[in-house]
Amino acid sequence: MVAELDRRYPPAWAEEWDRVGLVLGEPTDPVRRVYGTVDVVPETVAEALAAGADLIVAHHPLLLRGVSSVAPTTWKGRIVHDLIRAGVALYVAHTNADIAAPGVSDALAARFGLTGLRPLQPSAPGSASAGGGRGIGRVGELPAPLTLAALTERAAAVLPATVWGVRAGGDPARIVRTLAVSGGSGDGFLAAATAAGADAFLTSDLRHHPAGEHLAAGGPALLDAAHWATERPWLDDVAAHLRAGFGVETVVSDLDTDPWTVHAAAPTTDDKEPRP
């Protein structure tokens, strides 16, 4: 199982700073049930243990930065102890899954029915992941043109629901035919979306100044969804691949691990209470 995950998402494709691959567990142990999650947090680990998983496949690393202790007095240390005690392995595919084809952004593009897919930012020539349609993000054509307002509603409907929802920047009446998408944090690819000729770019974690300057310069409209929601679709692809190839049972978590849990829209003028 680990060998197949390494083949589909080679660790050499990951960014230098990333930490991917097998984190816990014996590579040769049998796997009957796989649990997929975006984040390895106490709630998803509890869900995996309750589901009887032998292997957790996660997108975000549990141990991204160096540590000097995994004592169970910390929540990450407690997770390490609980997984080892239960005999549950942990495997991470992060930036190597982001650029894979198919990868994180292919699954996101599929939610919108995009066709004619191409990388938003192709892997650099000569890099370990060069070629094969690999790279960050995807650009494709919508099945039918939509206004930005309608596309925003569509995004809220097809992506996993979160309190954050989906917000957009640009003219609500702008017609969108070509859509760029990138799962996870994407404001480092605003220039790439412009260069790709996209009418709109959907990603997450957009910051005020980069987004505002991008729009002021006439760039593609922007749609900002919750980070978790843009990466959760990929788990279905991983689960389907492992079921088909190995006959294992798969459980994909729908537990929303987005950190934002409360949302309040600003009241309209009619909703505001009159001043005394």
Side-chain angles (χ1 to χ4, degrees), residues 22-121:
L22 186 65
V23 180
L24 297 169
E26 293 290 344
T28 57
D29 280 355
V31 174
R32 293 169 293 273
R33 182 171 296 168
V34 178
Y35 172 91
T37 182
V38 173
D39 295 296
V40 184
V41 293
E43 294 82 0
T44 56
V45 169
E47 194 175 65
L49 295 179
D54 303 299
L55 169 66
I56 296 173
V57 176
H59 186 49
H60 292 150
L62 173 66
L63 303 172
L64 181 59
R65 296 172 179 84
V67 298
S68 59
S69 169
V70 288
T73 50
T74 66
W75 69 268
K76 288 190 177 184
R78 170 50 59 192
I79 284 175
V80 171
H81 281 254
D82 288 348
L83 291 180
I84 291 175
R85 184 177 294 112
V88 179
L90 170 61
Y91 185 94
V92 170
H94 189 210
T95 53
N96 49 333
D98 288 335
I99 65 173
V104 171
S105 290
D106 294 281
L108 179 57
R111 293 290 177 111
F112 294 89
L114 299 186
T115 58
L117 293 182
R118 63 188 190 276
L120 173 62
Q121 181 170 293

Side-chain angles (χ1 to χ4, degrees), residues 143-187:
L146 293 171
T147 65
L148 176 61
L151 178 60
T152 305
E153 292 181 359
R154 177 72 174 158
V158 302
L159 293 178
T162 61
V163 170
W164 175 277
V166 180
R167 59 183 181 178
D171 180 357
R174 178 172 182 166
I175 300 299
V176 179
R177 295 179 175 85
T178 302
L179 177 64
V181 300
S182 184
S185 302
D187 68 7

